């Protein structure tokens, strides 16, 4: 079951949250959220330099430990606009960067799991590689979607990190897409939800400075609350776009996502790319609603799919193959009057061909 609907009007007093614009100002949208617009086609590194897939034989999925300072700084060396990462809050109120709901380890050969939000920040940081070379961390394992428990092995390892460390140690010009990570299988009271979001927003206000920042969440009430708690950074609603069904109907289609954003004053949608390709007509409805649209998903590692989205008017893509996709986007954004030495012609569709493709793609995506 997904997150229970929580009305933001039920949120307790938030008087302690700083509202001084000088603390929370962003250079990403100097005109304020009322005039928010993504200035260019964005390429966003998924969990930094790309996610880890431990069962994959593709070395790109194990190049750097995902959601780590090492991965973020490796991504910063590429022509990326943003990196995306997942933030949760530990038991003692520290925002940490970690994707999975549970952290897995072993003791004397016995595997155990602990919920990230139920461990202290010091215990969280004790798993995996340690910053102090003389220290040995607890084994860090990971559970795959198939249920297998594997050692979390990567080519270039790094320690786990906090949100504050990311602000302090990552190139300040690199934008942060901060996903507010919550568990689909838990029901959150309004009070609990606010206690989880406030520490994150406080770190952003204290350390964000001029860094471009976008908040996003798959959970409608978390996204709405993030918008209610601050008005300096854009908030996007993450959705599978109808490719997966949830108890909360607001998560089940692009049409529902539009309603959530319009009614809650959010700035945009981040959809699974298949959801957009299955329903390309929704792109115009999103634009008519004055919302931005970005996508995520495996198809965003295919240059032709990314170029198709650019032609459709989608404003950004979250990718794992960061090196290949940044290069592909650089090529597709080149002026059309290339010289004879250019050996990489980009697709050039007429309006009629584009219309045909938009009708064909939904059929292809179904299979």
């Amino acid at each position: 079951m997904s997150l229970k609907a929580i009305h933001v009007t039920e949120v307790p007093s938030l008087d302690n949250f700083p509202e001084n614009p000088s603390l929370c100002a962003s250079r990403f949208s100097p005109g304020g959220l009322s005039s928010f617009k993504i200035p260019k086609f964005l390429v966003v590194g998924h969990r930094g330099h790309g996610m880890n897939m431990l069962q994959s034989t593709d070395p790109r999925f194990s190049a750097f430990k995902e959601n780590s300072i090492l991965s973020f700084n490796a991504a910063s060396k590429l022509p990326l606009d943003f990196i995306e990462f997942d933030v949760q809050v530990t038991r003692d109120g520290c925002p940490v960067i970690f994707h999975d709901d549970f952290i897995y380890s072993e003791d004397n050969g016995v595997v155990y799991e602990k919920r990230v939000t139920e461990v202290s920040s010091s215990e969280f940081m004790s798993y995996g590689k340690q910053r102090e070379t003389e220290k040995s961390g607890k084994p860090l394992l990971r559970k795959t979607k198939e249920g297998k428990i594997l050692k979390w092995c990567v080519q270039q390892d790094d320690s786990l990190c906090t949100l504050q460390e990311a602000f302090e140690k990552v190139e300040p010009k690199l934008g942060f897409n901060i996903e507010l990570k919550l568990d689909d299988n838990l029901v959150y009271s309004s009070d609990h939800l606010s206690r989880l979001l406030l520490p994150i927003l406080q770190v952003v206000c204290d350390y964000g400075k001029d860094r471009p920042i976008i908040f996003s969440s798959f959970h409608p009430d978390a996204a709405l609350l993030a918008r209610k708690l601050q008005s300096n950074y854009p908030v996007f609603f993450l959705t599978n776009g109808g490719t997966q069904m949830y108890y909360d109907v607001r998560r089940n289609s692009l049409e529902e996502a539009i309603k959530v954003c319009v009614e809650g004053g959010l700035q945009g949608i981040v959809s699974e790319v298949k959801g957009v390709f299955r329903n390309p007509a929704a792109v115009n409805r999103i634009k008519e609603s004055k919302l931005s649209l970005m996508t995520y998903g495996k198809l965003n590692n295919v240059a032709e799919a990314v170029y198709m989205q650019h032609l459709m008017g989608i404003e950004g893509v979250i990718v794992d193959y960061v090196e290949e996709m940044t290069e592909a986007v650089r090529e597709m954004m080149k002026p059309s009057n290339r010289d004879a030495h250019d050996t990489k012609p980009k697709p050039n569709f007429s309006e009629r061909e584009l219309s045909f493709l938009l009708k064909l793609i939904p059929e292809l995506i179904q299979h």
Side-chain angles (χ1 to χ4, degrees), residues 101-104 112-116 119 123 127 138:
D101 297 317
F102 291 90
I103 197 162
Y104 288 83
Y112 64 89
E113 66 178 33
K114 290 191 176 183
R115 186 178 290 279
V116 173
V119 302
E123 181 179 357
Y127 293 99
K138 299 173 186 175

Side-chain angles (χ1 to χ4, degrees), residues 3 26 76 86 96 131 179 240 247 251 272 297 354 362 367:
L3 181 65
S26 169
S76 73
D86 314 272
V96 296
R131 296 220 185 280
E179 181 184 336
N240 286 288
Y247 177 79
R251 301 182 63 179
E272 216 292 345
L354 181 58
H367 305 286

Side-chain angles (χ1 to χ4, degrees), residues 83-127:
I83 53 172
E84 178 272 351
F85 53 76
D86 314 272
V87 177
Q88 304 184 57
V89 176
T90 60
R91 186 184 66 209
D92 52 344
C94 179
V96 296
I97 300 178
F98 197 76
H99 174 270
D100 302 354
D101 297 317
F102 291 90
I103 197 162
Y104 288 83
S105 188
E106 61 180 346
D107 185 18
N108 292 323
V110 178
V111 174
Y112 64 89
E113 66 178 33
K114 290 191 176 183
R115 186 178 290 279
V116 173
T117 55
E118 293 178 355
V119 302
S120 66
S121 54
S122 59
E123 181 179 357
F124 173 80
M125 296 298 292
S126 71
Y127 293 99

